[in-house]
Each structure stands twice: as C-alpha cells, then as structure tokens.
Amino acid sequence: MDPSRVVLFKSLSKTLSPALGIGWIVAPPRWTQQLHRADQVDAQPSALDQLAFAELLESGAYDRHLRSCRQRYRLRRDTLVQALAKQLPDAPVSGVAAGLHLILRLPTAVDTRAVVTAAAARSLRVADLATYHATDDHADHGLVLGYGNLADSAVIEAVRHLRDAVEECG
C-alpha cells in the first residue's frame, strides 16, 4: 500500500467498545490540514477515555488484548467449522479467513428463508445470504453465520439447532 496515497481509518468499536467513540485516521502528510478542517464532529470522545486508551497503547495492554481476542475467536471459528462439517456435511463453508462471519452454502433444495425462520424459533439468529445482494438475480444460496457474540460453550449446541432447522426446511 502506497503511504502517499492511502488513508487508513480505524476505530475501537469492535475491539473494545463502540460506546468509546474513539477512532483515528492515518493519512499522507499532504492531506493533514484538509482533514483537520473537515473534522467538525461535535461529539468528541471524553478526554478520560482517550487518556485511558493511550495508557493501554503505551503499556502494551491493548496489543495483549488483541492477541487474546484473535486466539479466542480463532478457536471458536475452528470449533464452528468442525461442527458444521460434522453436522451438515453437504453444506460447504467459505469466508473462514476473514472477519467474525462465515458463509454456509446450503443445497439448492433447502429454502434459506425458511431456515432463517426455523433457526429463529430455536433462538438462533442467522442471515439469508440473499439479503446481502442488491438484486435477486444471484447464484448464491446460503446463510451468513456470525460467531463473534456466540459463547464458546454454545457453539456445538447452536450447530445442532441449525442442523435441525435445515433438516426441517430441506
């Protein structure tokens, strides 16, 4: 990435809390003045929150927190992928390497909208992949599964509920 042409936007909303309202921009020096002029946000994060985050950075605690999160989410993702392979072997998984979501491709005979409803009846929230498309002329058939807010101990049971919902609708 060319540092003379690339702007990096980051925030703490997913790694600590969106309530903090702390974010930052890394931009080429030639854009700094213009960005400062454009920064007319009325609601600024509190000075105390900013100082607390600065201490987390300087002490290395934020880096330790991120490493811990990465490890925890990686283990959760791996458990989820293994459970899906076992419980729904005809439904391949993709998007595993990015973010806290993955895509479960369902057989075309399965009504994904019905699966979303059946999963919700089992207190399981999943999204129809079709809702992520701007048009109806798409070839994707599946579900988007988020695992960021799923407790580690609930992964296996959640996959069993999802399997039951898929079987009910297939």
Side-chain angles (χ1 to χ4, degrees):
M1 293 176 41
D2 184 355
S4 68
R5 298 179 0 180
V6 174
V7 178
L8 176 64
F9 294 86
K10 292 295 232 173
S11 80
L12 299 178
S13 65
K14 291 195 178 187
T15 58
L16 288 180
S17 171
L20 292 174
I22 297 176
W24 60 93
I25 300 172
V26 179
R30 63 190 165 110
W31 295 349
T32 303
Q33 284 186 336
Q34 187 175 358
L35 287 168
H36 280 290
R37 280 193 304 272
D39 185 18
Q40 301 299 321
V41 177
D42 291 329
Q44 297 290 331
S46 78
L48 185 58
D49 289 343
Q50 292 179 63
L51 289 169
F53 179 61
E55 177 60 29
L56 284 174
L57 282 175
E58 291 171 6
S59 70
Y62 186 62
D63 286 334
R64 288 190 298 277
H65 169 71
L66 291 178
R67 280 193 302 276
S68 172
C69 287
R70 281 187 200 110
Q71 181 179 14
R72 186 171 60 252
Y73 289 129
R74 185 179 310 115
L75 290 171
R76 187 178 304 159
R77 179 203 61 209
D78 292 349
T79 302
L80 177 59
V81 169
Q82 290 170 3
L84 288 167
K86 182 178 179 182
Q87 297 289 330
L88 293 162
D90 296 330
V93 173
S94 62
V96 175
L100 297 174
H101 293 80
L102 52 86
I103 295 173
L104 181 70
R105 307 282 179 174
L106 296 176
T108 55
V110 176
D111 180 351
T112 54
R113 289 182 191 152
V115 172
V116 171
T117 302
R122 292 167 171 83
S123 300
L124 187 63
R125 192 170 140 212
V126 298
D128 185 344
L129 183 58
T131 62
Y132 289 84
H133 291 269
T135 62
D136 288 334
D137 59 340
H138 54 80
D140 288 332
H141 187 76
L143 301 172
V144 178
L145 307 179
Y147 57 89
N149 289 331
L150 184 62
D152 294 335
S153 60
V155 172
I156 304 297
E157 182 180 356
V159 171
R160 277 196 303 267
H161 287 311
L162 181 59
R163 180 207 59 212
D164 293 347
V166 169
E167 288 176 353
E168 176 184 310
C169 301

